[in-house]
Amino acid sequence: MLVVKDILEHPEETIQRLAVKHFDAKEAIGQVIALDEQRRTAQQSLDASLNQQKKLAAEIGAKMKQGLKEEATALREEVARLKEDSIRSEEAKKQAEEAIEQLLLSIPNTPHVSVPEGNGADDNEVVEMGGQMPKLADDAIPHWELAKKYDLVDFELGVKITGAGFPVYKKQGARLQRALISFFLDRAIAAGYEEIEPPLLVNEASGYGTGQLPDKEGQMYEVPIDGLYLIPTAEVPVTNLYRDVILDEKELPIRHVAYSSCFRREAGSYGKDVRGLNRLHQFDKVEIVQIDTPERSYQTLDKMIDHVRGLVESLGLPWRILRLCGGDISFTSALTYDFEVYSAAQGRWLEVSSVSNFESYQANRLKCRYRNKDRKTVLCHTLNGSALALPRIVAALLENNQSPEGIHIPEVLVPYTGFDMIKATDGQ
């Protein structure tokens, strides 16, 4: 969430920046300012009352030593009254702080100055493209037909077991999944990321810490009897490792990589976007997370983008990078770049990664801080990115590499799959 001090110092700038996200913050910012004034007034009253109580306590002691019991009794009554005032001031302060926090939870992160204006995905800015577009035969088919032809993914069996959006990977399809996971993890570890294997369920505090809660869009799967949520990404448990933690600046940057299954309700999804592997309720993803200083975080973001670019290039997929506009960027992000790969048989771009800098927004919720060289406590900046999400990578690999002989496997994956071609005659 936003830092109150920043709001108080730059209210108009905050309102203007949030307007880029199509969020009218004028009323909320005004309420935060008014509530903070109430909080400070209550704090001043509380401080004055406590100081007076301390002063009177010394006077009571002196009166007792002098044998002036009646005067001491009168002072005790005054102290009792002041204690009641303190309780009221403390309650007023608490109520103001709680109201401020609830307001802050409803206000999105302010976007970085480089975030372009725009209403939605069509207004995102293409900043870079690469890779060679494949040339497929006229009879090329989409990945969901390839998956059936080569017995790689069974969508109907997933519906039987669970429901739509929960596919069953089989034979070489399952091995391809495992190969991609291992490849992505190995690349991240070689780049200096420390591997984490996180829980797949988190508590409410973790959801609030990284901004998934309150869940305004209803995208999280909940286990209400236990007060737990299935993770939408490994970002949530991994970043929450540092909730209520004060780090030393020498420990930064912290780099973690984690593979996990991810669970999203994807409410409101329909049409061509949900065919096959395009949009699932359960999918596998390798996530990279970094925690760094405010001074370095945008250099760190660039390095994370370079890492993801290297992955899609190594797989031989055509790719492009988009800078998300104000109408498409997430509630918690300050700046996000999406990676898309081209799916030749579908003739469309598929998102496979989002790389984001949240600046101090998550860290303020998490109370994730570090001590700088002056031993002052400073909020960290948090970043994460998909490196990579598997379903659409698999979709593009199957479609772009299909041939009359079968489906070619990228050379970098062969040591992990144990095969260089998927053929209909293979019974593996």
Side-chain angles (χ1 to χ4, degrees), residues 185 194-200 231 234 237-238 241 256-260:
L185 285 172
E194 177 185 323
E195 185 175 0
I196 295 287
E197 184 174 345
L200 300 183
I231 62 170
V238 173
L241 294 172
H256 286 310
V257 61
Y259 153 70
S260 77

Side-chain angles (χ1 to χ4, degrees), residues 283-349:
F283 60 95
D284 292 330
K285 182 155 68 88
V286 173
E287 189 82 356
I288 52 175
V289 173
Q290 291 214 41
I291 298 175
D292 211 341
T293 65
E295 295 78 14
R296 282 199 306 257
S297 69
Y298 278 95
Q299 294 176 346
T300 297
L301 180 67
D302 290 340
K303 291 177 182 178
M304 294 172 74
I305 290 168
D306 290 342
H307 179 78
V308 176
R309 184 193 294 107
L311 294 177
V312 292
E313 286 182 338
S314 68
L315 294 173
L317 295 171
W319 55 270
R320 68 180 186 180
I321 304 174
L322 308 178
R323 182 187 288 117
L324 298 196
C325 71
D328 201 33
I329 195 171
S330 75
F331 187 87
T332 53
S333 176
L335 180 61
T336 295
Y337 291 92
D338 273 3
F339 276 79
E340 296 181 337
V341 296
Y342 192 71
S343 178
Q346 296 180 70
R348 57 194 294 255
W349 292 94

Side-chain angles (χ1 to χ4, degrees), residues 153-378:
V153 187
D154 195 320
F155 297 101
E156 290 77 15
L157 192 55
V159 172
K160 172 186 175 182
I161 297 170
T162 309
F166 295 88
V168 174
Y169 297 88
K170 302 169 63 178
K171 302 177 182 178
Q172 288 179 303
R175 291 173 65 182
L176 178 59
Q177 283 277 111
R178 179 157 50 89
L180 284 165
I181 293 165
S182 297
F183 173 63
F184 294 153
L185 285 172
D186 285 351
R187 279 293 182 96
I189 293 167
Y193 289 86
E194 177 185 323
E195 185 175 0
I196 295 287
E197 184 174 345
L200 300 183
L201 293 118
V202 293
N203 55 30
E204 189 174 69
S206 295
Y208 275 101
T210 44
Q212 279 69 35
L213 295 176
D215 185 10
K216 296 177 180 61
E217 298 177 351
Q219 296 294 351
M220 294 183 74
Y221 283 101
E222 185 178 2
V223 187
I225 192 170
D226 295 308
L228 299 174
Y229 297 83
L230 277 72
I231 62 170
T233 166
E235 163 209 341
V236 181
V238 173
T239 311
N240 268 278
L241 294 172
Y242 301 94
R243 175 157 44 91
D244 298 318
V245 171
I246 299 178
L247 300 159
D248 191 279
E249 186 171 358
K250 294 178 182 178
E251 299 178 76
L252 301 177
I254 286 172
R255 302 183 183 95
H256 286 310
V257 61
Y259 153 70
S260 77
S261 293
C262 304
F263 305 88
R264 299 181 187 177
R265 293 185 61 244
E266 296 291 0
S269 300
Y270 61 92
K272 65 179 182 179
D273 288 343
V274 302
R275 290 295 303 271
L277 298 172
N278 286 346
R279 195 172 294 274
L280 303 176
H281 295 303
Q282 177 182 330
F283 60 95
D284 292 330
K285 182 155 68 88
V286 173
E287 189 82 356
I288 52 175
V289 173
Q290 291 214 41
I291 298 175
D292 211 341
T293 65
E295 295 78 14
R296 282 199 306 257
S297 69
Y298 278 95
Q299 294 176 346
T300 297
L301 180 67
D302 290 340
K303 291 177 182 178
M304 294 172 74
I305 290 168
D306 290 342
H307 179 78
V308 176
R309 184 193 294 107
L311 294 177
V312 292
E313 286 182 338
S314 68
L315 294 173
L317 295 171
W319 55 270
R320 68 180 186 180
I321 304 174
L322 308 178
R323 182 187 288 117
L324 298 196
C325 71
D328 201 33
I329 195 171
S330 75
F331 187 87
T332 53
S333 176
L335 180 61
T336 295
Y337 291 92
D338 273 3
F339 276 79
E340 296 181 337
V341 296
Y342 192 71
S343 178
Q346 296 180 70
R348 57 194 294 255
W349 292 94
L350 303 176
E351 178 197 334
V352 295
S353 174
S354 286
V355 187
S356 301
N357 188 347
F358 301 93
E359 296 186 355
S360 63
Y361 192 85
Q362 288 182 332
N364 194 25
R365 287 177 174 234
L366 294 160
K367 294 182 175 59
C368 174
R369 296 155 289 174
Y370 71 97
R371 294 193 193 281
N372 63 18
K373 296 174 182 177
D374 299 325
R375 307 311 294 166
K376 292 182 179 179
T377 302
V378 183

Side-chain angles (χ1 to χ4, degrees), residues 27-85:
E27 181 178 351
I29 296 301
Q31 289 177 347
V32 169
I33 294 171
L35 285 165
D36 187 70
E37 178 63 30
Q38 294 176 24
R39 181 198 63 79
R40 286 188 288 112
T41 299
Q43 183 68 64
Q44 290 166 2
S45 297
L46 178 61
D47 291 343
S49 178
L50 292 174
N51 288 335
Q52 184 64 9
Q53 289 174 53
K54 184 178 180 180
K55 179 181 176 182
L56 291 177
E59 291 184 18
I60 290 169
K63 297 294 184 186
M64 290 298 291
K65 287 180 180 179
Q66 296 169 14
L68 302 174
K69 293 184 179 181
E70 289 186 6
E71 293 183 23
T73 299
L75 290 175
R76 286 194 183 98
E77 291 174 356
E78 177 65 12
V79 169
R81 185 188 65 77
L82 288 169
K83 285 182 177 179
E84 291 178 359
D85 289 344

